[in-house]
């Protein structure tokens, strides 16, 4: 039996712990002394680990997997978008094609394994989408980092605040120890002490299940006879709707379409932070010189975590990146300033004309 990950705060767990008990995770000590370092990264999810790797080497997912020879189920697969209204998904495929993405709408398209009562009218097909097992990927990268002389990691160490000084950045921990760094990266779901970014995002809860399906579905591994079909959705605004029965709704949805689906072995939920302009916040925090942030993933944490690692590493090391301005955290303040000037100008004109 797979060892379950103990979580004192909830009874749910993701499918990514399957075959990967906590005993297989690399172990790190807690911080028990003051230290100095070049870059302090707060957070050890995919954004934090990717940033650490990029600062030491500088690669992307497919290349990282090849370079480190990681066994994390990486492969390229097509992605499908199916809705009742074919006009919507057809137009979406056209827009994606105009942007250079290999996407087409196929009328009457059938997804492999979809043999339930719900008919398929067609689908937008997006070719060559990279997918991988996130836990296997992260454990592989962090095992490599663990052996690198320029890398240190501390577990069970909570950062309580970040403060920039004249020549450095100070991070103080719950235990009272201090980390002094040239730069700090907040690779956390919620940025520390930054109400300006928090005010520019909405917050939703999303739900996922892993339900058994035949091996031909080729999803994420379960056992010799089955794979796991991962189904997500039923999003709602945090604190505004009842979260009961969301997992059962997802299971029903899956069985209506995949008649051979079996038991739901894993179920979990997560927070979605959605910026008002739907672009993540990745880069230097407003009014800061050496404090960076990665947040606002819009439910695309794996993509933004890896992308964020590269963008932050490039900025810290002084390399130009053509994507940086798109994700610049201070962009929303600039937009607010422009709107204020326009509104002020309009009021002034009205007053003069009267």
């Amino acid at each position: 039996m797979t060892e379950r990950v103990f979580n004192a705060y909830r009874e749910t767990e993701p499918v990514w712990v399957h075959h990967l008990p906590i005993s297989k995770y690399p172990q790190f000590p807690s911080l028990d002394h003051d230290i100095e370092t070049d870059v302090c990264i707060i957070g050890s999810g995919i954004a934090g680990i990717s940033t650490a790797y990029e600062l030491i080497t500088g690669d992307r997912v497919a290349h990282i997997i090849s370079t480190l020879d990681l066994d994390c189920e990486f492969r390229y697969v097509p992605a499908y978008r199916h809705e009742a209204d074919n006009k919507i998904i057809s137009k979406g495929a056209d827009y994606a094609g105009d942007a250079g993405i290999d996407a087409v709408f196929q009328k009457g398209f059938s997804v492999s394994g979809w043999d339930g009562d719900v008919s398929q009218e067609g689908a937008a097909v997006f070719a060559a989408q990279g997918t991988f097992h996130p836990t296997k990927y992260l454990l592989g990268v962090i095992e490599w980092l663990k052996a690198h002389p320029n890398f240190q990691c501390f577990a069970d160490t909570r950062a309580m605040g970040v403060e920039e000084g004249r020549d450095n950045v100070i991070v103080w921990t719950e235990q009272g120890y201090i980390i002094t760094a040239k730069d700090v990266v907040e690779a956390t779901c919620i940025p520390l002490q930054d109400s300006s970014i928090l005010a520019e995002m909405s917050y939703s809860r999303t739900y996922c299940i892993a339900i058994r399906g035949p091996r031909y579905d080729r999803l994420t591994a379960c056992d010799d006879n089955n794979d796991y079909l991962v189904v997500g959705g039923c999003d709602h605004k945090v604190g505004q709707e009842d979260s009961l029965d969301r997992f059962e709704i997802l299971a029903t949805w899956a069985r209506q379409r995949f008649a051979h689906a079996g038991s739901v072995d894993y179920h979990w939920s997560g927070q979605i932070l959605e910026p008002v302009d739907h672009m993540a916040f990745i880069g230097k925090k407003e009014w800061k010189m050496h404090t960076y942030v990665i947040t606002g993933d819009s439910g695309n944490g794996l993509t933004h975590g890896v992308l964020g690692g590269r963008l932050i590493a490039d900025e810290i090391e002084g390399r130009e990146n053509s994507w940086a301005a798109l994700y610049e955290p201070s962009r929303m303040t600039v937009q607010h300033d422009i709107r204020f000037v326009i509104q002020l100008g309009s009021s002034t004109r009205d007053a003069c004309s009267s």
Side-chain angles (χ1 to χ4, degrees), residues 67-253:
T67 301
L68 304 186
D69 192 24
L70 303 181
D71 180 14
C72 61
E73 304 176 19
F74 180 82
R75 60 204 184 275
Y76 290 104
V77 297
Y80 314 113
R81 183 181 179 189
H82 170 84
E83 290 185 13
D85 190 341
N86 280 342
K87 292 182 179 179
I88 294 176
I89 55 176
S90 177
K91 185 176 294 186
D94 291 341
Y95 287 150
D98 292 341
I101 298 172
D102 186 355
V104 295
F105 173 75
Q106 295 185 20
K107 187 174 178 58
F109 181 85
S110 296
V111 175
S112 175
W114 183 316
D115 54 1
D117 294 334
V118 179
S119 64
Q120 298 179 65
E121 301 294 331
V125 182
F126 300 81
Q129 302 297 299
T131 185
F132 59 95
H133 191 293
T135 305
K136 291 181 179 180
Y137 172 77
L138 290 176
L139 292 183
V141 175
I142 204 166
E143 285 286 4
W144 182 88
L145 287 169
K146 187 177 180 180
H148 199 283
N150 292 340
F151 177 79
Q152 296 182 82
C153 186
F154 299 97
D156 302 316
T157 303
R158 176 173 293 180
M160 301 301 292
V162 178
E163 183 177 345
E164 285 200 8
R166 178 175 297 179
D167 302 315
N168 53 37
V169 187
I170 301 296
V171 179
W172 62 89
T173 70
E174 187 177 33
Q175 295 88 344
Y177 300 109
I178 291 176
I179 303 168
T180 304
K182 296 177 182 177
D183 297 283
V184 169
V185 181
E186 296 178 13
T188 56
C189 183
I190 302 292
L192 301 174
Q193 302 169 318
D194 198 322
S195 58
S196 62
I197 291 180
L198 296 177
E200 299 296 346
M201 295 189 288
S202 62
Y203 304 87
S204 298
R205 197 78 181 165
T206 191
Y207 300 82
C208 284
I209 63 170
I211 187 170
R212 288 176 180 251
R215 287 298 301 268
Y216 64 77
D217 286 343
R218 190 63 183 99
L219 302 168
T220 194
C222 172
D223 55 30
D224 292 340
N225 299 315
N226 298 284
D227 274 346
Y228 279 122
L229 170 66
V230 178
V231 181
C234 289
D235 299 8
H236 65 86
K237 290 289 182 66
V238 173
Q240 294 188 16
E241 295 184 34
D242 194 343
S243 62
L244 297 176
D245 301 326
R246 303 274 172 169
F247 299 120
E248 186 58 39
I249 291 171
L250 292 175
T252 299
W253 185 96

Side-chain angles (χ1 to χ4, degrees), residues 287-308:
W287 312 118
K288 301 296 183 181
M289 295 299 295
H290 299 282
T291 306
Y292 302 82
V293 66
I294 304 175
T295 189
D297 290 324
S298 304
N300 296 303
L302 297 181
T303 300
H304 283 139
V306 176
L307 172 65

